[in-house]
Amino acid sequence: MSTQAERLARFAAELRFDAIPAPVVRFTENLLVDWFGSTVGGQGARPVQSIARFVQTMGPADGASEIVARGRGSSPWGAAMANAAASHVAEQDDVHNGAVFHPATVVFPPALAVAQAVGASGRQLIAACVAGYEVGIRVGEFLGRSHYKVFHTTGTAGTLAAAAATGSLLGLDGARMRHAFGSAGTQSAGLWEFLRTAADSKQLHTAHAAGAGLMAAYLAQDGFTGAADIFTGAQGMAAGMSHDADPARLTDGLGERWATAETSFKWHASCRHTHPAADALLAVVRQHGLQPGDIAQVVAHVHQGALDVLGPVVDPRTVHQSKFSMGTVLALVAQFGHAGLTEFEREYRSAPTQALRERVSMVLDPEVDAAYPRRWIGKVTVTTTDGRSLHGRVDEPKGDPGNTLTRDEIAAKALRLAAYSGTVAPADLQRALDRLWQVADWPRTPWLLERA
Amino acid sequence: MSTQAERLARFAAELRFDAIPAPVVRFTENLLVDWFGSTVGGQGARPVQSIARFVQTMGPADGASEIVARGRGSSPWGAAMANAAASHVAEQDDVHNGAVFHPATVVFPPALAVAQAVGASGRQLIAACVAGYEVGIRVGEFLGRSHYKVFHTTGTAGTLAAAAATGSLLGLDGARMRHAFGSAGTQSAGLWEFLRTAADSKQLHTAHAAGAGLMAAYLAQDGFTGAADIFTGAQGMAAGMSHDADPARLTDGLGERWATAETSFKWHASCRHTHPAADALLAVVRQHGLQPGDIAQVVAHVHQGALDVLGPVVDPRTVHQSKFSMGTVLALVAQFGHAGLTEFEREYRSAPTQALRERVSMVLDPEVDAAYPRRWIGKVTVTTTDGRSLHGRVDEPKGDPGNTLTRDEIAAKALRLAAYSGTVAPADLQRALDRLWQVADWPRTPWLLERA
């Protein structure tokens, strides 16, 4: 049976803090803090509240695992579900470009919930999270572009990431981790169809991935078995959900290549597919000192995945849907220099935004498409009202590994997200951030905020 | 957007007991009793106990919804998960031939759990279960044969069936039911890969379908939205998981054709794909008075789906795996006239069984394959040790609608299953059966067995 599944499972099971290079540990701390900001920022959203209510109705009334910013606990399953829903709604959580996969929102929620429940140290928590990132990213890369055309990779590969992180904290050996992968992969799900009507499924996908992956690991701990080769088997994930799966990606550079540290932070509060063009437009606007009124037309030169995901969104009716509208994002950037939560909330359907939105189109660009998903190149052509044709380009959008955020920028982003949601007082949030930066020294994983 | 999704959702939301023809109600009562037997029979199985432990660890310590034969309650989610796992493990639960879908195990568990929690009447419960059957069967038919090659339709279509049954009991209107369908379909999962190593995933698939479908309906009740067209949308279920989906099947004869009553009861305790050949062999054995030692070779003439599911099982190592071994099933039938739980448990690897197993092969039969999945024709050719070539054929295996079980046979089967599992005393089981036959008169859905 699959050497890949076996090797990947053994790696996830055996990864220890001391084996992780210090820069990767520091980077993981950054990812954790960035995730925390997104979680706090998302807690007030209606779909997130629905999922939190569901787990509180179905789960215990309280528990050892924190539902962040709600001051209440739940079982590990309930907290993982609620926090995973919360951290993906603001579209501010991290992304791995090559895998087109958002790791934080499916890794940290189950890892934190289980670490709190079992009393794991901060170093065990970090090792578990890195295991989750390394596994989830490789599964996303393995499933390939054809998968992403229909499936939300964060939901599908996310079940494996959640299983790896949970399994690490539960002390699964390689054989049981492989069973956990089998049980996770056979629950793997998440379809893009919801985008067409701006439905709430994105939060359900991350919650489901976190909950199903966590369950897979708990079951494996109890001796429950899963497919030996859920990835490349004749009736496995690739057979069912991909036409271009690449098995070699599953174990690519295991233990040497740290995919975790390739993760990008999001700067704009929109779908990542809009960011390269947004930064390219920003470059043009700044270089030429353009005002919104100077812009007659913008053509964004994009990869096919951007057309697949953003293409159907032609008339966004909600804030969330507008984050998948290239026209809206570029219109906000042209007006405000940044497409943040506040800009979306206040301006996504303003008359100037809609007027600019109508002047934006997308075309498939062979160079951009060939580089994707390894590199997310941004290219725009702006036609000005006085007839000039201006070209903008960025090779790494802000937040990518070569253009990453500083710790100050990450903390500031978290504070902005908390302020936006209004669920946590700034002083409480600052205390939580101070605590989070010390994660590697925690003897026992604490709650991040206080109980109500 | 899809008229099919809208119509199917409205049908499920608006179906009331009084609209269901009396024979279909009676048939549904038979299905309920048959399901109860399978649930009791499965509770002792190791993978089922793992899932029950998981929901009890993660859920409340007790609750209004009964975990059958455990004497304890849970939340609706927890009880639905645990009972769905239990009712599919003995391979004795019902099946709809055309959909290649096992409805009972994904419909009754969420319906019973929710009916107990909300205090629904027996008639409301029946209407909800019929809604679940009608929806799940049509979704299975819609997804088609290509889907079943890789996906376990009971896991995938099962999420929709569970959502329909739950949504009916929660009183969702058509619009919210459609949202529930969107949320259910985007969690739809279940891969056959586990068969290759006889892993425990089958129980996970039914538990997952019940839990995810139930969650989808509760979320919809709370205003959570899902894709408008999860079935035929460009990035929906068919796009991701089928090559031969037939949208017309989704609403085929809604309200006139009662797919519920087309469901088959299982007589042998094995994968349904083995039953036609088993009954055909039995016909030959009886007609010609053959002893096991008279059989030199058996060729089972089968449909492609049987080859896909049973083909990989060449050397069954567990009782469960042997239920997917055509050779083992025919060997048991040749020896004992029936492949029941006891025969499997005691004889699946006996020397005579293994010797007979080696003399069985399968070949694709054009007539059988063309009729499938509407009709499951059984054909075998037996070569005797004295050189005769004997042909056996059944057009409807025992338990199919045209050859269905009597109420006495259903009750006897339930009692056998309970005796096999040893979890419920015969007198307690008989009391439960007496209560179950009266379902249409329940003012409030009670527990089926007593609390511990």
Side-chain angles (χ1 to χ4, degrees):
Chain A
M1 290 293 173
S2 163
T3 307
Q4 272 97 358
E6 193 175 353
R7 283 184 56 205
L8 190 62
R10 199 181 321 125
F11 172 80
E14 296 176 0
L15 181 66
R16 297 292 175 269
F17 180 85
D18 292 340
I20 305 168
V24 177
V25 170
R26 296 291 89 78
F27 198 86
T28 306
E29 292 163 355
N30 292 1
L31 295 168
L32 172 63
V33 172
D34 188 68
W35 166 78
F36 175 68
S38 278
T39 311
V40 173
Q43 279 295 5
R46 177 189 52 73
V48 174
Q49 292 184 317
S50 280
I51 289 174
R53 270 193 293 271
F54 176 76
V55 301
Q56 290 183 328
T57 303
M58 297 296 160
D62 202 350
S65 300
E66 175 183 12
I67 301 183
V68 172
R70 288 188 159 248
R72 280 180 65 185
S74 184
S75 68
W77 175 81
M81 294 267 290
N83 292 334
S87 45
H88 201 44
V89 71
E91 298 289 341
Q92 287 276 269
D93 54 313
D94 64 22
V95 61
H96 185 279
N97 289 341
V100 204
F101 168 65
H102 300 278
T105 190
V106 289
V107 168
F108 289 115
L112 180 71
V114 176
Q116 290 171 335
V118 305
S121 72
R123 292 182 178 203
Q124 289 174 315
L125 174 63
I126 289 171
C129 293
V130 173
Y133 270 71
E134 298 294 321
V135 167
I137 290 166
R138 283 178 176 80
V139 173
E141 291 177 333
F142 157 70
L143 289 170
R145 293 176 67 164
S146 68
H147 177 74
Y148 187 75
K149 276 182 173 291
V150 181
F151 290 94
H152 180 197
T153 304
T154 301
T156 55
T159 57
L160 279 299
T166 304
S168 170
L169 286 160
L170 295 180
L172 301 188
D173 62 15
R176 292 202 169 192
M177 185 68 86
R178 194 172 168 189
H179 288 303
F181 285 2
S183 293
T186 208
Q187 297 180 80
S188 189
L191 296 159
W192 281 121
E193 183 59 27
F194 73 92
L195 285 177
R196 210 148 277 103
T197 49
D200 298 329
S201 310
K202 220 175 183 204
Q203 282 58 70
L204 181 58
H205 292 171
T206 52
H208 175 264
L214 178 144
M215 176 163 72
Y218 272 87
L219 289 176
Q221 186 189 33
D222 198 32
F224 193 95
T225 61
D229 183 6
I230 197 62
F231 302 117
T232 62
Q235 293 169 306
M237 292 176 75
M241 306 194 283
S242 176
H243 303 299
D244 62 349
D246 180 359
R249 308 294 310 192
L250 284 169
T251 50
D252 179 50
L254 265 189
E256 291 165 10
R257 167 197 166 208
W258 294 93
T260 307
E262 299 162 0
T263 304
S264 298
F265 296 94
K266 273 191 174 181
W267 190 240
H268 302 291
S270 57
C271 175
R272 186 65 178 176
H273 290 297
T274 66
H275 292 209
D279 285 354
L281 176 62
L282 200 56
V284 173
V285 164
R286 284 180 178 158
Q287 189 185 339
H288 298 279
L290 299 183
Q291 298 299 314
D294 299 333
I295 297 173
Q297 201 183 30
V298 182
V299 178
H301 306 270
V302 299
H303 53 271
Q304 183 63 45
L307 293 173
D308 293 340
V309 173
L310 310 174
V313 186
V314 290
D315 182 21
R317 295 285 171 170
T318 65
V319 169
H320 186 258
Q321 200 177 26
S322 74
K323 293 172 177 179
F324 292 83
S325 155
M326 180 66 92
T328 303
V329 173
L330 298 196
L332 294 175
V333 163
Q335 296 173 85
F336 309 106
H338 182 231
L341 289 178
T342 310
E343 288 79 12
F344 274 106
E345 194 71 27
R346 293 190 190 150
E347 307 285 346
Y348 85 102
R349 275 186 78 82
S350 72
T353 299
Q354 294 203 57
L356 271 164
R357 187 187 82 207
E358 296 300 322
R359 291 179 229 151
V360 172
S361 60
M362 292 188 286
V363 294
L364 182 67
D365 184 281
E367 183 205 3
V368 172
D369 195 55
Y372 174 89
R374 286 260 182 188
R375 289 166 56 221
W376 293 47
I377 300 170
K379 283 164 75 173
V380 295
T381 304
V382 179
T383 308
T384 60
T385 47
D386 58 6
R388 286 173 293 162
S389 184
L390 308 173
H391 300 281
R393 178 187 180 107
V394 294
D395 283 309
E396 289 204 76
K398 184 168 174 75
D400 266 18
N403 189 11
T404 195
L405 305 189
T406 65
R407 288 202 160 187
D408 284 348
E409 285 175 326
I410 291 167
K413 180 182 159 192
L415 285 161
R416 271 203 311 275
L417 280 158
Y420 166 79
S421 78
T423 47
V424 179
D428 293 339
L429 196 92
Q430 188 58 56
R431 258 198 308 278
L433 293 179
D434 294 344
R435 184 178 294 163
L436 278 162
W437 291 121
Q438 306 304 318
V439 53
D441 298 326
W442 295 345
R444 240 184 114 87
T445 299
W447 275 37
L448 306 184
L449 292 159
E450 303 305 318
R451 277 185 184 273
Chain B
M1 291 292 173
S2 162
T3 307
Q4 272 97 0
E6 194 175 351
R7 282 185 57 206
L8 190 63
R10 199 180 323 123
F11 171 81
E14 296 177 1
L15 181 65
R16 296 292 174 271
F17 179 85
D18 292 339
I20 306 168
V24 177
V25 170
R26 296 291 91 76
F27 199 87
T28 306
E29 293 163 355
N30 292 2
L31 295 168
L32 172 62
V33 171
D34 188 68
W35 165 79
F36 175 69
S38 278
T39 311
V40 172
Q43 279 296 4
R46 177 190 50 74
V48 174
Q49 292 184 317
S50 281
I51 289 174
R53 271 193 293 271
F54 176 76
V55 301
Q56 290 183 326
T57 304
M58 296 299 160
D62 202 348
S65 300
E66 174 183 13
I67 301 182
V68 172
R70 291 192 154 246
R72 281 178 65 186
S74 184
S75 67
W77 175 81
M81 294 267 290
N83 292 335
S87 45
H88 202 44
V89 71
E91 299 289 342
Q92 287 276 269
D93 53 312
D94 64 22
V95 61
H96 186 278
N97 289 342
V100 204
F101 168 66
H102 300 278
T105 189
V106 289
V107 168
F108 290 115
L112 179 72
V114 175
Q116 289 171 334
V118 305
S121 71
R123 293 183 176 204
Q124 288 173 316
L125 174 63
I126 288 171
C129 293
V130 173
Y133 270 69
E134 297 296 320
V135 168
I137 290 166
R138 283 178 177 78
V139 174
E141 291 177 332
F142 157 70
L143 289 169
R145 293 177 68 164
S146 69
H147 176 75
Y148 188 75
K149 276 181 172 292
V150 181
F151 291 94
H152 180 197
T153 304
T154 301
T156 55
T159 58
L160 280 298
T166 304
S168 170
L169 286 160
L170 296 179
L172 301 188
D173 63 15
R176 291 202 171 190
M177 186 67 88
R178 192 172 169 188
H179 287 304
F181 286 1
S183 293
T186 207
Q187 297 180 81
S188 187
L191 297 159
W192 282 120
E193 183 59 27
F194 74 92
L195 285 179
R196 209 148 277 104
T197 50
D200 298 330
S201 309
K202 221 175 183 205
Q203 281 59 69
L204 181 58
H205 292 172
T206 52
H208 176 264
L214 178 145
M215 175 163 73
Y218 271 88
L219 289 175
Q221 187 189 33
D222 198 31
F224 194 95
T225 61
D229 183 7
I230 198 62
F231 303 115
T232 62
Q235 293 169 306
M237 292 177 76
M241 306 195 283
S242 176
H243 303 299
D244 62 350
D246 179 358
R249 308 295 309 194
L250 284 169
T251 51
D252 178 51
L254 265 188
E256 291 164 11
R257 167 197 165 207
W258 294 94
T260 306
E262 299 162 0
T263 304
S264 299
F265 297 94
K266 273 192 174 182
W267 189 238
H268 302 292
S270 57
C271 175
R272 186 67 179 174
H273 290 298
T274 65
H275 292 209
D279 285 353
L281 176 62
L282 201 55
V284 173
V285 164
R286 286 182 177 159
Q287 189 184 340
H288 299 278
L290 299 183
Q291 298 299 313
D294 299 333
I295 297 174
Q297 203 184 28
V298 181
V299 178
H301 305 270
V302 300
H303 53 270
Q304 183 63 45
L307 293 172
D308 294 340
V309 174
L310 310 173
V313 186
V314 289
D315 183 21
R317 296 286 174 170
T318 65
V319 168
H320 185 258
Q321 201 176 23
S322 73
K323 294 173 176 177
F324 293 84
S325 156
M326 180 66 93
T328 304
V329 174
L330 297 196
L332 294 176
V333 163
Q335 295 173 85
F336 309 107
H338 182 230
L341 288 178
T342 309
E343 288 78 13
F344 274 106
E345 194 73 25
R346 295 191 188 148
E347 307 285 347
Y348 85 103
R349 274 184 79 81
S350 71
T353 299
Q354 294 202 56
L356 271 164
R357 189 187 79 207
E358 297 299 322
R359 292 180 229 150
V360 173
S361 60
M362 291 187 286
V363 295
L364 182 67
D365 184 280
E367 183 205 1
V368 173
D369 195 55
Y372 174 89
R374 286 261 182 185
R375 289 166 57 221
W376 293 46
I377 300 170
K379 283 165 74 173
V380 295
T381 304
V382 179
T383 308
T384 59
T385 47
D386 58 6
R388 286 174 292 161
S389 184
L390 308 173
H391 299 282
R393 177 188 180 104
V394 293
D395 283 308
E396 287 205 78
K398 185 169 173 72
D400 265 19
N403 189 10
T404 195
L405 306 189
T406 65
R407 287 202 162 187
D408 283 348
E409 284 175 327
I410 290 168
K413 179 181 158 193
L415 285 162
R416 271 203 310 277
L417 280 158
Y420 166 79
S421 78
T423 47
V424 179
D428 293 339
L429 197 92
Q430 188 58 57
R431 257 197 307 279
L433 292 180
D434 294 343
R435 184 178 295 163
L436 277 161
W437 291 121
Q438 305 304 318
V439 52
D441 297 326
W442 295 346
R444 239 183 117 87
T445 299
W447 276 37
L448 306 184
L449 292 159
E450 303 305 317
R451 279 186 182 272

